[in-house]
Amino acid sequence: LLLSNYYGWWYGLLFCITSMLMTFGLFNVIVAIFVENVVDAARKNDLAKRQAHMRDQEFFAQKLVELLEVIWELRGWHHEGTSQELLEKAKEGVHLTPSIYEELRKSARFSEVLEQLDIAMEDQYALFETLDGDQSGVIDFEELIGGIHMLRGDARR
């Protein structure tokens, strides 16, 4: 009020508007810093959980056996026995062609197991070409297991 009496009403109005904008700006910066810290903490927590999850070799082995069971079921092959026996059979008998892979990819259970192994849905469409490292047109057991193990999770620098 004293400013407007001494310098005029327009100076008092300018002072009030400037003070209001500075206050809004200051609070905006404070909120931005708070939100950035919260998001960063959540990202670090999520990354730590994913790394621990990916290190869990027992989980990987369990999902690998589940993936092989899905392949066995969808191919119409019969399997009775332990998971170790299934792995031994798979080393000798898993050879996936593009048509077999496409049939597997259409299966909800196959896609679900791949997602649980941190293979994103959009990556599953071109997964055959990615896993077929020797360009033979067939994915064998070693290519399947090694490729899935290397593709798990998000790409990082």
Side-chain angles (χ1 to χ4, degrees):
L1 188 62
L2 291 175
L3 284 175
S4 56
N5 286 339
Y6 188 73
Y7 291 107
W9 66 269
W10 58 272
Y11 191 77
L13 180 66
L14 181 65
F15 179 78
C16 288
I17 291 173
T18 304
S19 297
M20 185 176 64
L21 289 176
M22 293 297 284
T23 303
F24 284 144
L26 179 65
F27 282 116
N28 192 20
V29 169
I30 291 170
V31 169
I33 291 171
F34 175 75
V35 168
E36 182 180 351
N37 287 336
V38 168
V39 169
D40 190 44
R43 187 178 309 125
K44 284 181 182 177
N45 188 29
D46 187 46
L47 181 61
K49 283 182 183 179
R50 279 187 164 206
Q51 287 175 343
H53 179 72
M54 290 176 71
R55 277 186 247 122
D56 187 0
Q57 293 301 320
E58 185 176 318
F59 175 82
F60 181 72
Q62 176 187 6
K63 290 301 170 186
L64 178 61
V65 169
E66 192 175 333
L67 186 67
L68 291 173
E69 288 172 352
V70 170
I71 293 171
W72 240 249
E73 287 175 19
L74 293 174
R75 295 300 304 145
W77 298 332
H78 184 67
H79 167 70
E80 289 182 15
T82 66
S83 57
Q84 188 63 33
E85 291 171 353
L86 177 63
L87 287 172
E88 292 300 321
K89 283 184 182 179
K91 286 180 184 177
E92 300 166 4
V94 171
H95 300 287
L96 303 176
T97 62
S99 59
I100 293 172
Y101 176 77
E102 190 61 30
E103 190 179 312
L104 290 169
R105 191 187 59 76
K106 291 178 182 175
S107 164
R109 189 164 173 230
F110 183 78
S111 292
E112 179 183 326
V113 173
L114 286 177
E115 281 190 59
Q116 291 171 350
L117 285 167
D118 291 330
I119 306 290
M121 182 62 84
E122 56 271 5
D123 294 337
Q124 293 179 21
Y125 291 101
L127 188 61
F128 185 87
E129 290 80 19
T130 304
L131 295 180
D132 188 19
D134 60 1
Q135 303 296 316
S136 64
V138 176
I139 298 174
D140 61 14
F141 180 78
E142 286 81 20
E143 288 176 324
L144 178 69
I145 304 314
I148 288 175
H149 191 268
M150 288 174 38
L151 287 174
R152 292 178 70 204
D154 297 329
R156 305 221 195 308
R157 290 185 193 189

